[in-house]
Amino acid sequence: MKVLVTGGAGFIGSAVVRKLVSQQLADVVTVDALTYAGNMASLAPVMEAPQHRFVRADIRDGAAMASLLEKEAPDAVMHLAAESHVDRSIDGPAAFIDTNIVGTYTLLEAVRGYWSGLPLPRKEAFRFHHVSTDEVYGSLGPSGAFKETTAYAPNSPYSASKAASDHLVRAWHHTYGLPVVTTNCSNNYGPYQFPEKLIPLMILNGLEDKPLPVYGAGANIRDWLHVEDHADALWLVLTRGMPGQVYNIGGDAERRNIDVVRLICDLLDDLVPSGKSRHELITFVTDRPGHDARYAMDISRISGELGWRPRHSFESGLRQTVDWYLGNRNWWEAVRTGRYAGNRLGLGANGVSTAPAGAP
Ligand code: NAD
């Protein structure tokens, strides 16, 4: 089986590529435009593997996508390329509309052209897997969880752009018969995550004795999914999911942001003791505009139909993640000294504030 993975140099995409190649599940063509979030160093473990190939290309370039598909003749496309950071979408929504909506549309059209020309058995077996987010469902009160049937109510430019892309994928299935599967997942964490997101930012700031900025009172609740559990779930959905179906994926780990940050402080104090506790670095900063209060996922469909459950507990997954950042300074120092030093994003001021960031 050959799989074309878009966004494969990003956080989740690279975890998928590393899994597929290292476990010899598929031949992989990684397609990535290498925006600020793409990082070839995340693909280092598979770059020499004969069953992996990297192509730098933009999903918004329809001609490039069409010729790549003809040339590589994949059996499936896993679509993870996106602008992915809510705060950046508040400062500059245009890139989110371009990549997440127009880019997904452009890719869908290229894939439809390629898929239409496949011989029947390959055409039936083909899959387009669209990777999306729980944020399309909006925000929850203190109880309940998002189901696949929950009405869409996206609140940020990021989630609105992902919701639009989900609708396009759905329509390409219903209108043209393209065999698609869509997954909506909760907040991912784990190795190789770009340090603009809450968990790596707090780990690295804690290591560098910098403030740990928590948005508002830190009371917002997210469900945390280890990226390796997510990659397992994506492979299962790609290979065993029903065409046209949507699957919610969650980590069964709802936590308040402040509790996540406190746990990171405990882990750093334990693993890398310094003169003072990292808890003293916690600083409460202006909240994100329109910050969703709570997300939680009902994973009964994927666990009931496909037998998937997360393997990592949040506590052990977070310890493994902190360990990974401790052991991989080269990876994150190159990012922190180059593309992103940790400045505050998402105040709707095109990123002009220099305060550090602090929300997932
Ligand atoms: P990421 O920002 O780490 O990686 C995105 C990748 O896409 C980067 O390598 C980037 O270079 C590439 N890319 C961006 N625009 C492109 C374009 N026009 N053409 C080709 N490549 C392009 O994102 P991530 O965290 O790995 O997220 C992957 C997917 O999962 C996204 O679709 C995101 O919406 C979704 N998702 C992420 C999370 C999370 O917690 N990280 C949660 C739910 C859903």
Side-chain angles (χ1 to χ4, degrees), residues 47-70:
M47 280 312 278
E48 301 302 320
Q51 68 272 41
H52 177 249
R53 202 163 100 70
F54 177 82
V55 178
R56 185 172 190 175
D58 195 314
I59 58 161
R60 294 169 298 176
D61 183 343
M65 290 302 114
S67 72
L68 191 60
L69 287 159
E70 291 304 329

Side-chain angles (χ1 to χ4, degrees), residues 6-14 31-39 57-60 65 79-85 98-100 103 130-135 158 162 183-189 192-194 196-197 224-225 230:
T6 75
F11 167 48
I12 302 170
S14 70
V31 180
D32 200 295
L34 296 180
T35 68
Y36 81 94
N39 193 341
D58 195 314
I59 58 161
R60 294 169 298 176
M65 290 302 114
H79 177 37
L80 295 99
E83 288 292 336
S84 70
H85 190 38
D98 267 4
T99 289
N100 299 358
H130 178 58
V131 176
S132 191
T133 169
D134 58 358
E135 301 191 29
Y158 164 68
K162 291 298 291 187
T183 48
N184 295 81
C185 69
S186 57
N187 275 49
N188 282 223
Y189 71 100
Y192 299 94
Q193 188 167 27
F194 194 84
E196 63 189 353
K197 304 278 168 63
W224 292 96
L225 170 65
H230 188 198

Side-chain angles (χ1 to χ4, degrees), residues 85-88 90-91 139 156 198 202 212-222 256-258 283-295 344-349 353 355-360:
H85 190 38
V86 176
D87 284 341
R88 288 183 192 262
I90 296 168
D91 292 337
S139 185
S156 72
L198 179 77
M202 295 297 153
L212 305 180
V214 175
Y215 287 2
N220 304 64
I221 294 173
R222 299 291 179 264
R256 294 189 311 162
N257 286 347
I258 184 64
T283 319
F284 294 94
V285 301
T286 313
D287 207 349
R288 167 189 285 166
H291 204 174
D292 286 339
R294 178 174 163 262
Y295 305 142
R344 173 76 192 259
L345 302 166
L347 288 172
S353 165

